[in-house]
């Protein structure tokens, strides 16, 4: 009896799957709605085009553009996702109105359990824009000027003490080395002395547990009672507690050493309505900054190191640039800004390897694609891929060739000039979204960490160039492929280089 029920059940499930596959195919073949974006062909509902997109989003975008044009809808784990490529697409999505397009519903499930309550995507957009304004206030030149020597000291210390750099030379996994260095440099500057001092012990473990919470499965099921999520929730509570303890201690001692870290900046700041930021929100903002910035910086820095390993002559050019600009002086924010080739090396790495390949928003009201009668329905996810124009011959000759010298003759990007708009965190160019180079995004959700990231990456690179020489382990091997399997893309492991101390 039980066996008969089971076989009936299995038959019913199989029939339902077959019916849904068949109706999905019939819909695509015979019911194309001319007022909706074309649908990318897929055999199976729910799974849709997830595998193709997940393996290599750029390959997928370029292939679809050839077939369907600049806008098309694909199925991503059951979500109807409409991609709009090119400058018009970037403007449409990145400059979209908040009532039409919403970031928090897409990013919130993954990030709120990691960052904590009361900040970023857990609050009304206007409040988050006000929080971004306060963060911008913490990235002043005065603060960055204080950070640069800290960055240098951290890298020197790392090379002296880390086992990967014992001896005259060797091979190291530059991906983990850069992750560690960028974590320590961010902790030692932005996060403050107390956080840096406890990073070798307490913070590091909780950081890792929080980081594991960024697993792609948590985009859909952040509440799953699985071990990574239990560890994530505990780490969030403990880490927020550590920050609030530091804040309380600071309030009693005062800023005796005249520190310039973000924690002091937020403790002294006020929301637009004049109220102070509650300690828990300061703590969670600090966690958000650490978690949000770290992956982008670490992945971008690793790409820089790998491309340079393929071009040791460029490492020597960088060394000469330092000698020319700084002589025997120590690195400062001002000298860093004059190290043009250093900055261009970073710029070129970000052109080809921006860690955020897909910028997503949830469509709240139907949105008509300009100059067409095609409408993106409410409920779709709209996806911008600013990395696509960055990889296009029209804007960058030999686009897929990594060439830092392409930026030698830089002209001011005309799109950066002209009208500005203030979303609540300071004026930004309203035309910026038309630029073919947008590694830091544009519009309401544009990155506020760009100046910090450039100072951090520049100082790390300059110090490594001053102290080390490096090259490919296998001179014939190409630069590693990109790993798109997590939220932020990065070089595929292992990403090794052969290094030696500079004589
Ligand atoms: C190379 C390094 C970095 C890259 C390539 C990068 C890239 C980006 C991009 C593309 C966005 C826009 C996301 C969207 O529109 O959905 C963004 C937003 C943001 N980034 Fe960065 N970022 C970097 C470093 C940092 C650092 C170091 C921090 C902080 C210390 C930071 C903080 C933020 C914040 C607060 C936002 C705003 C998010 C929003 O408004 O929704 N970023 N970043």
């Amino acid at each position: 009896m039980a066996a008969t029920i089971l076989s009936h059940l299995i038959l019913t499930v199989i029939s339902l799957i077959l019916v849904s596959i068949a109706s999905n195919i019939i819909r695509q073949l015979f019911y194309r709605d001319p007022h909706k974006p074309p649908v990318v062909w897929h055999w199976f509902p729910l799974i849709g085009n997830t595998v193709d997109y997940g393996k290599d989003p750029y390959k997928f975008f370029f292939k679809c553009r050839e077939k369907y044009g600049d806008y098309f809808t694909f199925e991503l784990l059951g979500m109807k996702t409409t991609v709009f490529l090119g400058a018009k697409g970037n403007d449409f999505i990145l400059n979209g109105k908040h009532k039409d397009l919403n970031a928090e519903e897409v990013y919130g499930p993954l990030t709120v359990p990691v960052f904590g309550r009361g900040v970023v995507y857990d609050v009304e957009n206007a409040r988050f824009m006000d929080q971004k304004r306060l963060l911008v206030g913490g990235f002043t030149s005065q603060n960055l000027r204080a950070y640069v020597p800290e960055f240098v000291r951290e890298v020197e210390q790392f090379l002296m003490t880390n086992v990967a750099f014992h001896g005259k030379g060797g091979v190291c996994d530059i991906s983990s080395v850069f992750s560690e260095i960028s974590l320590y440099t961010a902790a030692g500057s932005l996060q403050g002395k107390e956080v840096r001092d406890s990073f070798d012990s307490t913070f590091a473990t909780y950081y890792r547990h929080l980081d594991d919470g960024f697993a792609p499965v948590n985009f859909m099921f952040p509440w799953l009672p699985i071990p990574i999520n239990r560890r994530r929730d505990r780490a969030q509570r403990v880490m927020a507690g550590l920050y609030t303890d530091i804040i309380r201690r600071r309030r009693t001692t005062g800023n005796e050493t005249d520190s310039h870290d973000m924690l002091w900046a937020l403790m002294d700041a006020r929301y637009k309505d004049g109220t102070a930021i509650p300690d828990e929100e300061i703590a969670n903002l600090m966690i958000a900054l650490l978690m949000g910035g770290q992956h982008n910086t670490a992945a971008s820095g690793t790409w820089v190191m790998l491309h340079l390993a393929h071009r040791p002559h460029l490492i020597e050019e960088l060394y000469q640039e330092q000698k020319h600009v700084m002589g025997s002086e120590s690195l400062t924010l001002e000298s860093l800004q004059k190290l043009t080739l250093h900055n261009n090396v970073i710029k070129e790495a970000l052109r080809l390897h921006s860690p955020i390949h897909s910028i997503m928003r949830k469509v709240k009201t139907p949105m008509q694609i300009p100059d067409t009668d095609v409408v993106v329905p409410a409920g779709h996810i709209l996806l911008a891929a600013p990395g696509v124009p960055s990889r296009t011959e029209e804007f960058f000759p030999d686009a897929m060739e990594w060439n830092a010298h392409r930026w030698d003759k830089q002209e001011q990007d005309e799109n950066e000039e002209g009208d500005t708009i203030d979303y609540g965190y300071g004026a930004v160019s309203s035309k910026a979204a038309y630029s073919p180079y947008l590694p830091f995004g544009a519009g309401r959700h544009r990155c506020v960490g760009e100046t910090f990231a450039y100072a951090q990456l520049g100082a790390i690179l300059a110090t490594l160039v001053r102290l080390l020489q490096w090259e490919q382990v296998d001179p014939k091997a190409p630069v590693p492929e990109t790993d798109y399997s997590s939220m932020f893309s990065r070089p595929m492991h292992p990403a090794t280089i052969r290094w030696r101390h500079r004589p």
Side-chain angles (χ1 to χ4, degrees):
M1 177 72 176
T4 327
I5 294 176
L6 190 67
S7 61
H8 269 106
L9 205 66
I10 293 172
L11 262 178
T12 316
V13 171
I14 292 175
S15 319
L16 279 175
I17 292 175
L18 288 177
V19 168
S20 77
I21 292 174
S23 68
N24 173 53
I25 291 173
I26 291 167
R27 231 189 356 259
Q28 289 181 76
L29 284 175
F30 302 110
Y31 296 100
R32 163 141 166 55
D33 182 344
H35 300 295
K36 284 196 187 148
V39 175
V40 178
W41 178 262
H42 55 279
W43 291 99
F44 303 104
L46 294 179
I47 301 171
N49 316 92
T50 309
V51 177
D52 267 359
Y53 166 75
K55 268 199 300 212
D56 186 339
Y58 288 115
K59 205 164 153 191
F60 177 71
F61 295 148
F62 278 106
K63 205 171 78 186
C64 292
R65 181 155 78 170
E66 239 169 61
K67 198 160 172 195
Y68 305 102
D70 274 346
Y71 48 85
F72 46 86
T73 300
F74 76 99
E75 182 113 358
L76 174 63
L77 290 173
M79 293 183 300
K80 301 257 176 288
T81 306
T82 297
V83 181
F84 191 175
L85 300 174
K88 278 189 186 161
N90 290 341
D91 178 52
F92 187 68
I93 298 170
L94 304 181
N95 282 336
K97 293 200 171 66
H98 182 250
K99 71 170 181 47
D100 299 327
L101 290 177
N102 171 304
E104 45 272 38
E105 283 187 35
V106 186
Y107 300 142
L110 189 79
T111 56
V112 172
V114 175
F115 299 165
R117 292 281 168 193
V119 300
V120 189
Y121 304 120
D122 186 49
V123 288
E124 286 280 304
N125 183 260
R127 173 50 70 105
F128 176 37
M129 292 300 116
D130 204 17
Q131 291 174 344
K132 277 177 82 169
R133 177 183 63 83
L134 302 177
L135 297 179
V136 172
F139 289 125
T140 58
S141 302
Q142 192 193 16
N143 292 4
L144 294 179
R145 197 167 291 121
Y147 296 163
V148 170
E150 291 293 329
F151 295 147
V152 174
R153 203 184 50 76
E154 281 289 348
V155 182
E156 288 173 348
Q157 179 100 353
F158 189 88
L159 294 188
M160 263 190 304
T161 54
N162 194 280
V163 61
F165 292 96
H166 283 176
K168 287 191 182 127
V171 170
C172 71
D173 170 11
I174 191 61
S175 183
S176 13
V177 163
F178 219 100
S179 277
E180 264 193 79
I181 292 183
S182 50
L183 196 54
Y184 295 153
T185 43
S189 54
L190 205 61
Q191 300 274 321
K193 187 175 177 323
E194 302 93 323
V195 176
R196 175 64 190 98
D197 288 347
S198 18
F199 228 100
D200 300 318
S201 45
T202 8
F203 265 86
T205 315
Y206 293 122
Y207 168 81
R208 261 195 300 279
H209 289 174
L210 273 186
D211 198 33
D212 292 343
F214 277 142
V217 59
N218 280 346
F219 250 124
M220 308 285 288
F221 312 110
W223 40 262
L224 273 184
I226 50 179
I228 55 162
N229 288 351
R230 275 201 293 269
R231 284 200 297 268
R232 171 200 64 192
D233 296 343
R234 177 156 188 275
Q236 209 296 322
R237 278 194 305 276
V238 178
M239 213 146 147
L242 289 170
Y243 278 105
T244 40
D245 286 348
I246 296 173
I247 296 169
R248 277 178 207 134
R249 271 202 304 278
R250 282 186 175 199
R251 287 202 203 283
T252 51
T253 56
N255 192 354
E256 286 161 343
T257 49
D258 195 23
S259 299
H260 287 280
D261 56 56
M262 183 62 87
L263 200 53
W264 280 119
L266 292 178
M267 284 169 63
D268 292 341
R270 290 281 176 280
Y271 280 128
K272 245 177 7 206
D273 61 13
T275 55
I277 319 174
D279 290 356
E280 291 67 29
E281 287 176 24
I282 298 182
N284 291 346
L285 272 175
M286 295 302 291
I287 295 174
L289 276 187
L290 186 68
M291 307 305 297
Q294 165 63 13
H295 287 277
N296 288 318
T297 315
S300 313
T302 307
W303 283 117
V304 168
M305 297 298 286
L306 289 169
H307 280 290
L308 289 175
H310 265 255
R311 298 162 183 82
H313 60 277
L314 199 55
I315 302 176
E316 291 319 295
E317 255 188 81
L318 291 168
Y319 186 62
Q320 293 308 324
E321 181 177 64
Q322 286 187 36
K323 277 171 73 176
H324 177 69
V325 171
M326 293 153 55
S328 55
E329 302 281 303
S330 306
L331 191 71
T332 60
L333 182 65
E334 281 68 25
S335 55
L336 195 52
Q337 283 157 353
K338 288 187 204 142
L339 295 176
T340 315
L341 185 57
H342 283 68
N343 289 314
N344 288 349
V345 160
I346 297 168
K347 195 167 183 182
E348 180 67 348
L350 287 174
R351 182 181 70 82
L352 278 184
H353 306 291
S354 173
I356 301 180
H357 51 78
S358 301
I359 293 182
M360 300 191 190
R361 307 281 184 260
K362 179 87 172 268
V363 181
K364 302 303 290 179
T365 49
M367 287 186 67
Q368 185 166 5
I369 295 193
D371 309 322
T372 71
D373 51 6
V374 174
V375 173
V376 185
H380 275 213
I381 302 292
L382 255 173
L383 187 156
V388 166
S390 294
R391 295 166 163 242
T392 304
E393 295 291 313
E394 184 191 342
F395 305 110
F396 297 97
D398 293 326
M400 294 316 290
E401 190 61 33
W402 191 90
N403 174 12
H405 281 297
R406 73 167 71 239
W407 298 99
D408 285 352
K409 281 199 220 79
Q410 254 179 85
E411 278 146 34
Q412 171 71 32
D413 188 340
E414 58 195 33
N415 291 316
E416 289 287 341
E417 293 168 351
D419 301 343
T420 57
I421 182 161
D422 189 345
Y423 293 101
Y425 66 92
V428 289
S429 163
S430 59
K431 299 270 169 59
Y434 284 94
S435 169
Y437 181 76
L438 286 177
F440 294 96
R444 180 180 299 277
H445 291 280
R446 193 196 191 287
C447 184
V448 289
E450 178 177 357
T451 48
F452 177 81
Y454 256 93
Q456 185 187 15
L457 282 169
I460 297 174
L461 173 65
T463 314
L464 291 175
V465 165
R466 177 164 58 80
L467 299 174
L468 298 179
Q469 291 170 312
W470 66 95
E471 61 189 10
Q472 273 296 101
V473 178
D474 173 1
K476 291 203 198 88
V479 171
E481 297 281 310
T482 308
D483 176 357
Y484 293 106
S485 65
S486 81
M487 237 188 95
F488 303 91
S489 64
R490 57 185 177 197
M492 199 77 89
H493 284 240
T496 48
I497 57 161
R498 187 185 304 286
W499 62 272
R500 63 186 164 274
H501 287 292
R502 199 175 270 284

